[in-house]
Each structure stands twice: as C-alpha cells, then as structure tokens.
Amino acid sequence: MLWPAIHYETRTIMTMRSSTFFSLRSVALACGLALGAAGAAQAAPDAKLLAAAEKAQPAVIDNLKEMVLIESGSLNVDGLMKMADVVEGRLKAAGFKTERRKASAGAGADIVIGTLKGTGKRKIMLQGHMDTVYAPGILNSQPYKVDGNRIYGPGIADDKGGLAVMMASLKILADAGWRDYDTLTVLMNPDEEVGSVGSGELIATTADLHDTVLSFEPTAAKSVAKGESLLLGAAGIAQATMEVKGRAAHAGAAPELGRNALYELSYQMLQTKDLAKDIPGVTLNWTVARATGPINQITEKAQALGDIRITQPGAEKKLNEVLQAKIASGKLIPDTETTVKVEVGRPAFIAGAKGLALAQKAQAIYKEIDRELALTPMTGGGTDAGYAGRSGKATVVESFGLAGFGYHARDEYIEVDSIVPRIYLVTRLLTEIGKN
Ligand SMILES: [Zn+2]
C-alpha cells in the first residue's frame, strides 16, 4: 500500500559559493510501502510494564505540552536551548549523566547527550531531534490544542512525540531498577530538519560505539496509514551543482562576441538528465536553474542544481563518474566551460538483515498487546538513522515515536491512543535487547 507524503525532513541546501548565486530549500517528499507483519507467536503482555505505560500517559501529555509550547525551529537557538534544558532535566531525573555540546555547524544550539552505565553487556543508543521546521510565531496560528484522540501542535509528532516516548520509557525502566545493559546513551540533536549539518558526524561516530540504535521519528497516523509501522530504510540525499562559464557581450550590438552560458547549461542538463536511470539506487532531477542576466547581455554564468536521492550506498559515486564523463564528451557552444560536482548530505539508511530481525522482535512485542506493526522498507525522505547506520556497525531501526500526521505541513498532531503502546514497545524491546 502506498500512502502519500509522510516522512521527515525539509533540508536547507548549502548556499552556493558566490553571493550572486542562490540558496534554496528542497522539500523531500516521501512515501512508503507497508509490509504485512511477520507471523510471530503471541505471548502474554508484561503486565507490570503495561501498567507503568498506562500510568505514565498523563505525564507524557504534560511533557508534550511543555515541549510544544517552546518554539524550536532549526534556526531558533533560544528555543532550542530551552528544549535542551527540558530534556536534560528529564534525563537527569532518570539517573543519566548528561553533557551538552555545541553543534559543529549551523545555528549553534546544543546537542544533549545522556549516558547511563548498567551491569549488562549491550550498548544501546536512543536518538531523536529537538528542532522543528516551523518559523517563529507559529504557535499564534497553530496553537497547542487537544481534540478527542488528537493533540495538535507544531513539532508534536516530529519529533517531540518521539522525545516524550523515549524519556517516559527510560524513566519507567529506571524506576523499575532495570540495569541489564552495559551503556545506555541518549543523543538529541538540534538540527535534524536542516540535514544535521552540525550533529551528523557525532551521531555516526557515537552510533559506532553501540550495538543497537533506536531512532524516534514519528509513525504515520491512522488517518493516513493502515497502521503503525517501523521504518527500515530511507533515501540518502545529495546535490548536484552544474556551473557554466561563458562570455558576456552586448545582446543587441554584438551578440556574436558572447558565449551564452544559459544555452550551454540547457544543453548539458538535457544530455545528463537520464544518466541516473542506468544506475541502480540513485535518481537525479535537475530542479533549479539560474543565470546571471541582465536581459540585454549574453549570459556569462549559469548554474543548475539537481536533487539526488540515494537508496544504495555508493551509487552517487557512480553517478558522479558518468556526469563528469558526459560533460567532458561534448559541448554545444565552443569556449564555454562546464563543471559539475556531487555533494552528499545525509547518508541513506538501510536497516539490512539485522535491523529487520530487531523490527520483527518489535512486531512480536506489539502482538502481546494485540496490535499490528507494519515494516516500511523505504521512504524517500531522509532521517538521522542514515548517520547512525552509516558504517553498518550498529543495528538501527527508525520510527519509535508517536503516531501522527501533518508534519512539515499544517495542523500537526499526534494520536493519544498511540502513547501507551509505543511506551510499552520501547520499554519491552529495550529489556529484550538487554537479554541478548
Ligand atoms: Zn523528524
């Protein structure tokens, strides 16, 4: 089954080198295929954990409200610092040692890292993000609002719901005296919605020190999906930049002296537009083209930007090779110079066989409380699970957050009746991971 435009991430693409050239935003559209749950035998629920999850629900809603009322767009450093205060306080209350680090690039807000030492063997990391896509003042037009089974608010699903589930689950396990792990690490970043430019490396290197990473992006609400799911793959994102240098000349008096960069750019875009179709695991679409002008001058410089999606690691390298070869193979206008480069943003996320095995364990846990959990193999959007799984060392599964919809859009909401199941899932899964 396909469902429309669900997941994640609007990414701000880096500003080009010349100030006359442009910066822009690209919105990732996504959709996913839902697989049926693998037939797992049904066991009885862990009554204690289920009761604790039910008891935690009002506090989770309070926590959601507290976080939603802090506007924390990716560029809103004040708001992000307040968010960091809130989550750090909650982690401390669950016994974590906490640390804050400045994101290495971007707006300069803090990354929050919590660690807890146990008595077991497994090293487990939980990750989520504190930023939202919304501009300052969003609460004026889209306030926090409870309406039946839905609670509305900017960022409430993506990703404050994920943070709330994570923190409530950790508190329940801490109160229950669970220590069956070597290390529990929590990492919350302030820049996921702008490509994790200042935290992606830290996510990747921290994840490499762990056996398992659970990532807490939302799952789709009932109104748009057949049921809740976990995510096993997400496209990586890269950008192609093509630049043409021509020669300026008076467009009326002496056009023959010019070398039209815009014509050459058009030619090169057309001769490269289908190159990715022969390379498995990568797509290329030229989506932006600009030229210097003015209208009465033969164009001196022109530039095109291409959106690249990667579903097989390394496919972008092959694409880069064929792009370079193609533009070197010929030009429309003599004396023009064309260059093209491919820059990778967030890596693709591929959960692989070990991720699938963990997700199937999660499906069996959901069965204990009579709920079905689908597995989504791939979405076109990007997630930080791509950084966590970049080296392939850790087992990574995505979408342990709340069921919701409207992210990156309007009227974002979560479904209240997903709170208890999600907390049950996360607490039970963590105890299962600890046993192995
Ligand atoms: Zn998110």
Side-chain angles (χ1 to χ4, degrees):
M1 254 71 33
L2 276 162
W3 67 75
I6 299 170
H7 273 109
Y8 318 124
E9 109 81 88
T10 301
R11 177 163 175 273
T12 301
I13 290 179
M14 44 294 226
T15 308
M16 298 298 110
R17 60 186 159 76
S18 153
S19 60
T20 55
F21 277 5
F22 6 86
S23 73
L24 64 145
R25 291 169 69 80
S26 146
V27 179
L29 288 178
C31 57
L33 286 170
L35 292 179
Q42 182 161 354
D46 180 321
K48 258 191 187 165
L49 281 183
L50 188 56
E54 279 160 2
K55 199 168 153 231
Q57 179 167 307
V60 168
I61 293 172
D62 287 349
N63 182 210
L64 279 172
K65 183 175 182 184
E66 175 186 33
M67 291 193 288
V68 167
L69 292 181
I70 300 168
E71 291 191 355
S72 61
S74 306
L75 302 179
N76 184 344
V77 176
D78 283 354
L80 287 163
M81 294 305 232
K82 281 183 198 142
M83 274 295 296
D85 291 341
V86 168
V87 297
E88 188 179 18
R90 298 229 165 214
L91 289 174
K92 280 189 169 141
F96 280 74
K97 203 177 97 198
T98 61
E99 178 195 347
R100 285 167 71 153
R101 287 198 211 171
K102 281 249 164 302
S104 62
D110 285 352
I111 300 162
V112 177
I113 303 161
T115 47
L116 198 53
K117 280 288 177 188
T119 55
K121 289 206 172 67
R122 310 296 287 181
K123 296 184 169 79
I124 306 165
M125 173 170 151
L126 312 179
Q127 68 176 25
H129 64 91
M130 299 179 284
D131 62 321
T132 76
V133 296
Y134 301 102
I138 185 71
L139 283 167
N140 296 326
S141 60
Q142 298 189 50
Y144 177 88
K145 183 177 80 186
V146 182
D147 182 10
N149 189 43
R150 293 182 181 180
I151 305 178
Y152 291 83
I156 194 163
D158 183 11
D159 189 28
K160 293 175 179 182
L163 301 183
V165 167
M166 188 198 300
M167 292 185 289
S169 301
L170 292 171
K171 184 74 169 62
I172 285 170
L173 290 170
D175 290 348
W178 179 64
R179 304 201 61 204
D180 198 10
Y181 49 86
D182 174 84
T183 312
L184 265 185
T185 302
V186 171
L187 195 156
M188 300 184 191
N189 59 333
D191 57 355
E192 192 273 346
E193 301 290 7
V194 287
S196 305
V197 287
S199 63
E201 267 318 299
L202 183 67
I203 291 170
T205 53
T206 307
D208 280 354
L209 304 173
H210 294 78
D211 304 304
T212 306
V213 178
L214 306 186
S215 191
F216 282 75
E217 293 284 359
T219 181
K222 288 190 277 283
S223 57
V224 288
K226 231 174 62 172
E228 294 175 29
S229 67
L230 292 175
L231 181 66
L232 300 177
I237 299 164
Q239 177 182 303
T241 305
M242 185 188 280
E243 292 184 340
V244 180
K245 201 163 168 288
R247 189 193 299 154
H250 194 298
E256 69 284 358
L257 297 181
R259 297 291 182 267
N260 194 321
L262 187 56
Y263 289 172
E264 183 63 24
L265 183 76
S266 310
Y267 173 77
Q268 295 294 353
M269 279 195 292
L270 289 174
Q271 77 157 351
T272 53
K273 75 182 175 58
D274 293 326
L275 289 181
K277 290 183 179 155
D278 295 326
I279 306 169
V282 69
T283 62
L284 164 67
N285 286 288
W286 295 112
T287 49
V288 174
R290 300 277 282 269
T292 40
I295 191 170
N296 56 5
Q297 185 184 80
I298 297 299
T299 310
E300 186 180 20
K301 282 186 190 170
Q303 183 197 60
L305 302 179
D307 177 273
I308 296 172
R309 300 289 153 143
I310 309 153
T311 51
Q312 281 184 27
E316 75 283 2
K317 292 198 183 83
K318 183 79 194 142
L319 175 64
N320 184 45
E321 282 166 25
V322 299
L323 275 172
Q324 302 298 344
K326 195 72 185 175
I327 64 163
S329 73
K331 57 181 80 172
L332 178 70
I333 300 185
D335 307 328
T336 56
E337 267 175 53
T338 301
T339 58
V340 66
K341 64 180 174 184
V342 172
E343 291 165 297
V344 178
R346 196 184 266 127
F349 163 49
I350 314 284
K354 56 189 184 176
L356 176 63
L358 182 66
Q360 285 170 340
K361 201 169 276 187
Q363 286 182 311
I365 289 171
Y366 241 35
K367 279 238 160 90
E368 294 170 3
I369 51 172
D370 292 322
R371 285 176 87 101
E372 294 294 329
L373 192 58
L375 304 181
T376 302
M378 179 61 68
T379 162
T383 105
D384 280 338
Y387 281 113
R390 190 174 70 183
S391 72
K393 285 183 188 161
T395 301
V396 185
V397 175
E398 175 63 276
S399 285
F400 286 94
L402 293 176
F405 196 60
Y407 7 114
H408 298 206
R410 287 191 62 82
D411 302 326
E412 181 172 343
Y413 65 85
I414 58 100
E415 291 174 330
V416 174
D417 61 3
S418 70
I419 294 174
V420 171
R422 288 270 145 172
I423 293 175
Y424 181 78
L425 173 63
V426 171
T427 52
R428 270 281 290 124
L429 188 59
L430 285 172
T431 60
E432 283 297 312
I433 294 167
K435 280 179 198 161
N436 291 318

